[in-house]
Each structure stands twice: as C-alpha cells, then as structure tokens.
Amino acid sequence: MTDPCPRFSASCVTEPPALPAGASWDYNIKNPIPEDGILCKSNTPWPSPVATWTAGQSITVQFLNNDAAHGGGHAQFSVSYDGGTTFAVVYEVLRYMFFTGPSDSNTPQVLSYSFTLPAELPNSDSVVFAWSWVNAIGNREFYMNCADVAITGSSSSSYTGKQMVIADHDGYPTIPEFNGNYDTGISYYEDAAMVTVSPRGSSTSSGNSTTSVYETTSSVSPIVHAAQDSSSGVQEETPVSSAPAVSEPTTAAESSPEATIEVNTASEPTTGSGSSP
C-alpha cells in the first residue's frame, strides 16, 4: 500500500510525517508479516494522521506496481478505534485481489481500489486503517499495512461490521494454497463474527445478535464486495444479499464507485514467497 501512507513506509505517494522517536524507515513495506510478528508491523502510530477523510466519502487506496501479486487472494480494508486491537471491515475484495479474475501471474492488473466509506464511522483523529491480504499462490503468508487517519463529519457514535480475518499467522487458522479454487478459505470471511468499534471501546458477537458494552446508535447496512463486470473489465461494488444463518458485514456504501484497473501486458508464473505490490 502506498496511499494512504502505511506506518514508517519509505514508499508513499504523499510526504509522510516525521518519524516518531526511535522509529526507522520501513524499506520492506511490501513484505508479509513474520509468522510471529506484529500485525501492523509496528504498534507505534504516526505522530499525526496521514489522511483526513469524511465519513461517507469515496476514497482511493493505491498500491505499488511490483511483481508480487501471487495470483490474487482474499483482501479486506478495515478500521480500528482501539489502536489496532479490533478491526471492523469496511470493504473487501475476495478471491481476486490485484486481478480481475483467476490468474497464475505475479504481475498485478489492479493497483488501486476506490470505494465509499460507511457514513456510520465515528469521528476520531486516531483511526487505524488497515489493508490485509491472504495470497492465493505461494508460501502461506499474511500481508497487512496500517495507516493512521482521521475521520470527520459523522454523527454516529459507533460502527458495526465484520471482524477482520487473520490467517496464515501464528495462532490463527491456515488457509492453504488455492490451487485454482478461489473459494478456498472463503468461509472464514463469510462467517466472520460481527464487531462494533468506537472511540469508547469495542465489542464482538457471533451470529446476528450483538451484545455491546455501550449503547450503539449507528445503523447497519449491507457490505459491498468488488464484483467483476465481464463486459467492461471494471470492478464495481455489489451489495451482498442477506441470509438468516450467516452474520452479514456492515457498511454504509450506497453508490457504486469503480476500482481502477491497470492491465499489464507482461505476465509471469507465480511461485514461492515474496513481497506484495
């Protein structure tokens, strides 16, 4: 991820803040999280937000053009209000992260994703915005970049959405190589518990009922996934229909912004491990 600028990354679109005392530049921001490593790669935030967003606005997340896309996989974009302990999903790209469909390539096709932030995100100047990814091909690895952002313009006190999936990391489930089956591991995403995040605290539930440690005033809306438009090659947000037996993720996205697609003519087989775009 290059925008918003991840913690201490040396490869950002915008000029990052000054490094906190004792921190050093991360020249390997594309690398996966070590199996026993810190999920955000650092628990220390930037000294000031790298972006200020308005709840309900469309944002664009950008990635480096680098040959390490591992044939796609499952990805999520999430927010935390408790310093990175609890993450609630605001958007997800299941099966084909960096691609427009199945692929055995290491060369990414999609290098930016635009989507609408939920209008229910509470105001805060210390929100952790995370991109996480489980690769389809290669060594089993978990990728995660975290940026510190501010959210403004909201009248909500909390946001409820799916809990971010963590896999292929110490103490968490292993999602095996897809081997052409892009539904591999999908149940972890479809059946994830619901979490409520707020500057005042977080809570977790399973199923369709949430027991919160504080009163929740925000509404609940269907989440959107990146869906492929076969005629135009453009990914669009598509609401997920409700199902009584499965807890549904929540966002407030109502419009259909498009993911930006960059198609590369070169394509290379994907093997082994490596960094992300």
Side-chain angles (χ1 to χ4, degrees), residues 98-118:
F98 298 124
F99 293 95
T100 59
S103 177
D104 62 357
S105 175
N106 231 355
T107 302
Q109 293 176 303
V110 183
L111 292 171
S112 65
Y113 289 86
S114 297
F115 55 89
T116 302
L117 291 173

Side-chain angles (χ1 to χ4, degrees), residues 21-260:
S24 57
W25 292 110
D26 185 351
Y27 293 96
N28 298 301
I29 195 66
K30 300 175 294 183
N31 287 358
I33 302 294
E35 187 174 349
D36 58 351
I38 298 171
L39 288 176
C40 278
K41 303 188 77 174
S42 174
N43 287 327
T44 303
W46 284 114
S48 59
V50 297
T52 298
W53 296 331
T54 302
Q57 81 166 77
S58 177
I59 65 167
T60 298
V61 181
Q62 299 183 57
F63 296 87
L64 289 170
N65 189 357
N66 180 68
D67 288 352
H70 296 288
H74 308 314
Q76 294 178 314
F77 300 87
S78 310
V79 293
S80 173
Y81 283 78
D82 57 7
T85 299
T86 308
F87 283 93
V89 176
V90 296
Y91 186 71
E92 57 187 4
V93 182
L94 300 181
R95 301 177 178 85
Y96 309 128
M97 180 69 197
F98 298 124
F99 293 95
T100 59
S103 177
D104 62 357
S105 175
N106 231 355
T107 302
Q109 293 176 303
V110 183
L111 292 171
S112 65
Y113 289 86
S114 297
F115 55 89
T116 302
L117 291 173
E120 296 93 347
L121 292 181
N123 295 335
S124 175
D125 60 2
S126 56
V127 179
V128 183
F129 175 81
W131 163 74
S132 55
W133 172 43
V134 171
N135 53 308
I137 299 174
N139 292 341
R140 306 325 300 143
E141 296 164 332
F142 186 70
Y143 295 80
M144 186 174 181
N145 292 165
C146 295
D148 299 287
V149 304
I151 300 293
T152 64
S154 176
S155 59
S156 175
S157 62
S158 63
Y159 168 72
T160 299
K162 281 200 304 188
Q163 186 173 39
M164 184 188 77
V165 173
I166 303 172
D168 299 335
H169 187 68
D170 190 32
Y172 293 91
T174 296
I175 296 178
E177 276 195 279
F178 290 12
N179 292 318
N181 179 8
Y182 280 81
D183 283 335
T184 300
I186 205 72
S187 62
Y188 291 111
Y189 296 82
E190 293 179 342
D191 301 337
M194 303 297 287
V195 294
T196 298
V197 294
S198 164
R200 294 177 292 158
S202 304
S203 65
T204 306
S205 71
S206 59
N208 294 321
S209 62
T210 300
T211 302
S212 180
V213 295
Y214 47 79
E215 182 179 358
T216 300
T217 59
S218 63
S219 61
V220 174
S221 314
I223 200 168
V224 287
H225 301 289
Q228 176 64 24
D229 180 338
S230 58
S231 62
S232 65
V234 174
Q235 292 179 345
E236 298 181 346
E237 293 182 348
T238 304
V240 176
S241 60
S242 60
V246 178
S247 60
E248 291 296 330
T250 61
T251 73
E254 296 177 353
S255 59
S256 297
E258 298 177 349
T260 303

